[in-house]
Amino acid sequence: MTTTPAAPSTKRGPYAKSKQRRESIVTAAHEVFAARGYRGGSLQDVADKVGMSQTSLLHYFPSKSDLLLAVLNWRDTVTGGGHPRDPEESLVDAVVRQARFNETVPGVIELYAVLCAESITDNHPGLDFFTERYERLRRSYFRAFSALADEGRLRPGVDPGQAAASLIALWDGIQTQWLMAPGDVDMAGCLRAYLELVVLPE
């Protein structure tokens, strides 16, 4: 006697539903924090966006700071869509590509600009996140500029560490200007122009 194997169940279990709910909360929190900042955006604002009570929201994220960190990590996951850098891709092209990609993802630049600036205020839960992020970025770009120096492609007198910190500062600053006047500021173009000042052509 043979039996026909049962078709796999298509029902979503409790874990899947919980994961979906967490994602919807993080997406809503991203919108709230990008528009109002961490201080100005409340858990109630987030709960209202997803149509649930604040008490129910706290079941998924026990505190507002837990939710903030989830949003920041989600933001990095989303912008990771512009990565990774291909080994054959130049530093200049990789930076420009990432900048252009970020422009296409609604809210991620706003979120970064607002929360990064706000993180230096007293007792902000995002301070460690942004401090570690800057340290990681400086190390990464320092390695990239140092490799260019070893290849003889960094202009004379350019210090890899200073170039790395300057690139990050320019990127953050040009993002703010782009947010204020997106039609007037070419963010990726400004980044390319800076890099072409310090990096010699192949």
Side-chain angles (χ1 to χ4, degrees):
M1 174 179 176
T2 60
T3 58
T4 302
S9 174
T10 58
K11 292 183 179 179
R12 297 174 63 83
Y15 175 79
K17 290 180 180 178
S18 177
K19 181 174 182 291
Q20 186 178 44
R21 177 61 83 173
R22 285 176 64 87
E23 289 172 352
S24 67
I25 293 170
V26 169
T27 301
H30 157 247
E31 294 177 15
V32 169
F33 293 155
R36 305 176 191 175
Y38 174 77
R39 306 286 193 199
S42 69
L43 288 176
Q44 189 61 57
D45 292 332
V46 178
D48 290 343
K49 273 191 171 293
V50 290
M52 64 193 307
S53 69
Q54 185 172 324
T55 301
S56 296
L57 186 151
L58 291 171
H59 171 74
Y60 296 94
F61 296 95
S63 70
K64 188 179 178 184
S65 60
D66 288 331
L67 180 55
L68 172 68
L69 293 177
V71 169
L72 291 173
N73 286 313
W74 171 85
R75 188 258 179 203
D76 273 359
T77 299
V78 170
T79 56
H83 282 298
R85 176 184 168 195
D86 188 286
E88 299 301 315
E89 186 177 34
S90 71
L91 172 64
V92 177
D93 288 342
V95 167
V96 169
R97 175 175 54 80
Q98 184 67 53
R100 293 204 187 284
F101 175 82
N102 289 353
E103 290 181 27
T104 69
V105 186
V108 297
I109 296 177
E110 291 90 334
L111 181 80
Y112 181 87
V114 169
L115 295 183
C116 183
E118 192 183 49
S119 72
I120 62 174
T121 58
D122 290 345
N123 302 314
H124 194 285
L127 180 60
D128 287 345
F129 175 91
F130 284 105
T131 299
E132 292 168 6
R133 178 184 175 81
Y134 275 127
E135 290 173 351
R136 186 171 66 251
L137 286 173
R138 283 195 298 271
R139 287 195 301 269
S140 176
Y141 289 131
F142 172 77
R143 288 193 297 269
F145 282 118
S146 294
L148 288 168
D150 291 342
E151 296 168 11
R153 295 196 49 229
L154 208 59
R155 291 194 184 276
V158 174
D159 177 80
Q162 291 179 350
S166 297
L167 172 58
I168 297 166
L170 173 62
W171 201 331
D172 281 5
I174 207 68
Q175 283 188 155
T176 300
Q177 295 181 55
W178 180 84
L179 287 170
M180 294 176 176
D184 298 333
V185 177
D186 180 0
M187 179 164 55
C190 289
L191 291 167
R192 180 182 289 279
Y194 165 72
L195 288 168
E196 289 179 348
L197 286 174
V198 299
V199 177
L200 295 168
E202 293 185 75

